[in-house]
């Protein structure tokens, strides 16, 4: 039979006050609470049996939790120490409350509490304390400690596994995330989504799509977060067959563009990046509700595809609605002007963005303007704009200037831009290569050798150029420059030779200046025809698809651009190439960029 605490008027009043305070948010300093805590000590001292102490303990624990959740944290530690001095043992709830408070950054105290857990022997069997320890270490960015806790737990549940999987995925450690995921007994939507999101956010779209496909096969429910992640992966890969399938999945799950503005906007972005700008417009038009992301996605889509005037028209339509443009919207419309060579329109928009729309230009907007002026050949004006910037130019600004110098063969200003880039990004090999190529275009071979020797002395290695093309049933085929390791390499080689013959009859002349090496013309020709986008093109020509879609990880070279134009004419196919700058639509010998890219 439970023995009740002797209900003297003083005792009853103390417990009543404690109950009231437990329901309140603890203030930073409360004199009444200090008095009450002192009374609790006296009450504990006067208790003469275990059940009395347990009843008082039951009231003290929510006071500890109140402090740990709502602050101040040190008060909860003080109360915990008070309990220990009085010889009252903690329960798992005590530690979970304290450890949750440590997640805010009090990792040293958290480690001390962890030590208490171990010394009391509770950790070896308490699932909830173990999970809270994992969560604390994850939130404090100590994944190794979190993993050690996980490995030493005698019992685990889905929370134990998924907390670590999510953490590893968020930090880009997909190898550890995958290992844990494979060992997870029951894989729920959170675990699957973490893997899809992790691979998508860490530039591995093919893996993200693989996991999403397996998730569908396992009949796991799909939510908005999962769909947004896999849509992003598909956009990175540029795979049209996957795009159609994902849209069908979204529609079936009740997240179609007609009833979900977030997914609808993501689909607009996906179709744009897959080269299907008409499908992007179709989704946009079907959306009854449009937000700034919807408009910005399509404006950026038009910009990437070279439809500068359509981007400007949509922007003008947008500003007549209740949706206000933001920094991304202006980034899109200024990019459109840059890719379309619309210098005057771009300058006008840049002038009014802050004045009329309260959008302060950031370094990315200045990058667009430098790119706009630089591409148009106004190198001095672009450099002057950088010098007048009210904010510090970042690497993107100087990179735009350096790129323009390469196009227009201006080694003098290229050196200035490159020197700034070498300070900002000392290990970015692309900057060295751009400067080297600028020297090469001016036939300054000694400077080419000097720059190449400089980045080699730093141990920097050039990232390999590669392209991929979508084959039958959405299968992606990847090609590296000069690599003939594809199973159909002999057919690809014959197709390239046949294409070269047809192009020469049509007047093709190779752009040998695209090879930044002082070698013979025959050797330059051999290098040019080993470019990855040409290999991808040849593979595409082996099939019967009306549209050949190619994605390249770096900018398409001028010679490949000429070849794509010619190939679209002699083959009667439409060729869509997406490089790291924009889309090129080649049709009947003409590119959508009008040779301005």
């Amino acid at each position: 039979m439970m023995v009740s605490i002797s209900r003297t008027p003083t005792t009853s009043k103390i417990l009543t006050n404690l109950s009231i305070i437990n329901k309140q948010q603890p203030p930073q300093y409360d004199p009444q609470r200090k008095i009450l805590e002192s009374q609790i000590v006296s009450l504990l001292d006067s208790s003469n049996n275990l059940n009395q102490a347990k009843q008082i303990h039951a009231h003290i624990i929510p006071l500890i939790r109140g402090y740990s959740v709502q602050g101040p944290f040190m008060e909860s530690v003080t109360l915990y120490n008070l309990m220990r001095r009085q010889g009252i043992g903690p329960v798992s709830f005590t530690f979970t409350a304290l450890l949750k408070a440590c997640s805010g950054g009090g990792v040293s105290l958290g480690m001390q509490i962890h030590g208490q857990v171990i010394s009391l022997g509770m950790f070896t069997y308490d699932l909830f304390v173990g999970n809270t320890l994992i969560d604390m270490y994850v939130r404090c960015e100590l994944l190794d400690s979190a993993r050690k806790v996980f490995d030493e737990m005698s019992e685990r549940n889905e929370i134990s596994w998924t907390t670590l999987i999510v953490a590893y995925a968020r930090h880009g450690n997909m190898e550890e995330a995958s290992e844990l995921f494979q060992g997870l007994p029951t894989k729920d939507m959170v675990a699957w989504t973490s893997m899809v999101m992790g691979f998508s956010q860490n530039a591995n779209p093919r893996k993200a799509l693989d996991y999403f496909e397996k998730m569908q096969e396992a009949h796991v429910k799909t939510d908005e977060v999962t769909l947004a992640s896999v849509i992003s992966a598909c956009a990175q890969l540029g795979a049209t067959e996957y795009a159609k399938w994902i849209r069908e999945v979204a529609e079936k799950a009740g997240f179609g563009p007609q009833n979900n503005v977030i997914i609808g906007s993501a689909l607009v972005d996906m179709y744009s990046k897959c080269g299907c700008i008409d499908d992007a417009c179709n989704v946009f038009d079907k959306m009854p509700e449009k937000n700034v992301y919807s408009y910005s996605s399509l404006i950026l889509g038009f910009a990437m595809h070279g439809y500068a005037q359509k981007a400007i028209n949509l922007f003008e339509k947008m500003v007549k609605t209740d949706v206000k443009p933001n920094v991304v919207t202006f980034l899109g419309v200024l990019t459109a002007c840059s890719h379309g060579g619309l210098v005057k329109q771009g300058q006008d928009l840049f002038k009014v963005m802050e004045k009329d729309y309260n959008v302060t230009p950031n370094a990315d907007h200045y990058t667009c303007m430098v790119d706009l002026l630089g591409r148009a050949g106004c190198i001095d004006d672009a450099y002057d704009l950088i010098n007048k910037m009210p904010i510090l130019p970042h690497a993107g600004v100087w990179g735009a200037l350096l790129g323009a110098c390469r196009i227009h063969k201006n080694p003098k200003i290229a050196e200035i831009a490159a020197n700034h880039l070498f300070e900002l990004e000392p290990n970015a090999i692309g900057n060295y290569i751009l400067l080297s190529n600028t020297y090469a275009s001016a036939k300054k071979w000694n400077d080419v050798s000097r720059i190449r020797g400089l980045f080699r002395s730093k141990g920097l290695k050039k990232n390999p150029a590669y392209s991929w093309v979508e084959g039958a049933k959405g299968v992606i085929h990847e090609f590296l420059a000069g690599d003939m390791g594809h199973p159909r390499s002999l057919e690809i080689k014959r197709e390239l030779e046949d294409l070269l013959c047809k192009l020469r009859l049509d007047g093709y002349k190779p752009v040998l200046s695209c090879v930044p090496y002082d070698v013979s013309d025959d050797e330059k020709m051999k290098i040019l025809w080993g470019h990855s986008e040409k290999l991808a093109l040849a593979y595409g020509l082996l099939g019967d698809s009306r549209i050949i879609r190619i994605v390249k990880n770096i900018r398409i070279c001028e010679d490949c651009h000429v070849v794509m134009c010619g190939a679209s004419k002699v083959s009667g196919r439409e060729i869509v190439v997406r490089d790291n700058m924009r889309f090129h639509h080649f049709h009947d010998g003409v590119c959508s960029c009008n040779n301005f890219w």
Side-chain angles (χ1 to χ4, degrees), residues 43 56 63 134 166 239 374 493-494 520:
L43 186 60
I56 300 169
L63 186 50
I134 292 173
V166 170
K493 185 179 179 181
R494 283 197 296 268
S520 69

Side-chain angles (χ1 to χ4, degrees), residues 364-383:
D364 291 334
H365 298 110
Y366 278 97
T367 299
C368 286
M369 292 306 296
V370 171
D371 190 57
L372 170 66
L373 294 168
R375 284 174 185 273
C378 307
I379 304 292
D380 291 334
D381 291 338
Y383 182 44

